[in-house]
Amino acid sequence: RGLAFAPDGKSVYYVVAEEHNPNGTLYKSSILGGVPEKLQDIVNTQIAVAPDGKQFAYVASDRNAKNSSLIIADLVGANERVIASRPIDQSFEWQTPSWSPDGKLISVAPPAGEFDGVELLLVTVEDGSVKQLTGETKWDTVLATEWLRSDSGLLVVASEKAEWADSQIYHVSYPQGVVRHVSPDLIAYSSSLKLASDNGTLLTTQVQRSTNIWIAPTGDLTKAKQITFGSLERLDGMLDLSWTRDRKLLHSAIVDH
């Protein structure tokens, strides 16, 4: 969890949560291999490494204190400090922090409210001040943010506020906050979103789903038989499935027009 390259590209940071240590530990490993170096305990979420390679940011929730915090710490040593907090019912999304190229800002996405959707915030590292970037644009979910190396804006993986809207890639200009759809297609994208150092190549992960309906005798599931053969993203029967009295099936499907 929390896999991230160091800015110089020579090592990788990652978080491990184990049975004997469910709170998580941050490690560093050379891309050439070797023995991993243990850096920090009690880090159990995705991290964002600062451009200078000396600090990292992450999100932590404290259910006792009922808050969610954006935290900065040194990669070597502690010096941990909270730079922004919100009520836990409006928690920062743990997979969304990203540092601006100059190291002065961290983008992060928290829910704006139960019915308002998700907004994109900028947190100033020096004083913890918080500013909303996206103005009137709010999404149903935000899975990742990534600053462009040119400081001209961010790329965001998010889904629009509409029923069954898949997550897509958007460009958000900085400082204007203008949102532009980068990938208007039928493919969903996950929280993997990284830019190469040349600022011209994007690495992400596509998500493709397929569901079909099977029937089987209740006493012998090994005799199950597939009865629909839908295409990707059709999702036969995923939302609803019911027998009629004359032994026919009524089922839902997502149909692209």
Side-chain angles (χ1 to χ4, degrees), residues 226-239:
Q226 184 175 348
I227 63 171
T228 67
F229 299 86
S231 57
L232 286 173
E233 301 297 330
R234 179 177 165 87
L235 308 183
D236 284 332
M238 180 175 172
L239 298 178

Side-chain angles (χ1 to χ4, degrees), residues 170-201:
Y170 298 85
H171 174 265
V172 182
S173 65
Y174 174 78
Q176 299 87 356
V178 177
V179 178
R180 177 176 58 86
H181 201 170
V182 175
S183 60
D185 52 38
L186 300 178
I187 298 172
Y189 295 86
S190 77
S191 58
S192 299
L193 181 67
K194 296 295 178 185
L195 274 171
S197 57
D198 64 2
N199 208 42
T201 306

Side-chain angles (χ1 to χ4, degrees), residues 121-147:
L121 301 180
L122 299 181
V123 181
T124 303
V125 174
E126 184 177 3
D127 60 12
S129 59
V130 180
K131 181 178 71 173
Q132 184 175 337
L133 177 62
T134 46
E136 297 299 320
T137 301
K138 291 184 174 70
W139 293 285
D140 188 54
T141 58
V142 173
L143 299 179
T145 70
E146 177 80 351
W147 281 82

Side-chain angles (χ1 to χ4, degrees), residues 10-170:
K10 296 180 180 179
S11 55
V12 172
Y13 299 99
Y14 58 96
V15 173
V16 177
E18 301 169 288
E19 185 176 0
H20 67 277
N21 183 21
N23 289 325
T25 303
L26 176 63
Y27 286 90
K28 176 183 178 181
S29 181
S30 168
I31 62 171
L32 300 178
V35 179
E37 177 186 357
K38 180 180 177 180
L39 298 178
Q40 301 277 356
D41 281 321
I42 319 180
V43 177
N44 193 19
T45 184
Q46 184 165 309
I47 68 167
V49 181
D52 63 6
K54 297 179 180 179
Q55 295 178 302
F56 70 101
Y58 69 102
V59 169
S61 295
D62 187 333
R63 299 201 174 274
N64 293 325
K66 297 182 179 180
N67 64 24
S68 172
S69 300
L70 179 63
I71 299 172
I72 290 178
D74 293 343
L75 280 164
V76 179
N79 292 328
E80 185 175 282
R81 65 185 177 100
V82 175
I83 63 169
S85 292
R86 286 170 68 94
I88 199 165
D89 61 347
Q90 297 179 23
S91 299
F92 292 114
E93 301 288 357
W94 63 269
Q95 71 271 39
T96 59
S98 177
W99 292 74
S100 62
D102 60 8
K104 296 180 179 180
L105 299 170
I106 296 176
S107 56
V108 65
E114 184 177 359
F115 302 105
D116 294 331
V118 180
E119 57 191 310
L120 186 60
L121 301 180
L122 299 181
V123 181
T124 303
V125 174
E126 184 177 3
D127 60 12
S129 59
V130 180
K131 181 178 71 173
Q132 184 175 337
L133 177 62
T134 46
E136 297 299 320
T137 301
K138 291 184 174 70
W139 293 285
D140 188 54
T141 58
V142 173
L143 299 179
T145 70
E146 177 80 351
W147 281 82
L148 297 170
R149 305 291 185 265
S150 60
D151 238 351
S152 61
L154 306 89
L155 294 177
V156 177
V157 177
S159 60
E160 295 182 350
K161 288 181 64 62
E163 187 176 4
W164 286 103
D166 282 325
S167 52
Q168 297 280 287
I169 300 175
Y170 298 85

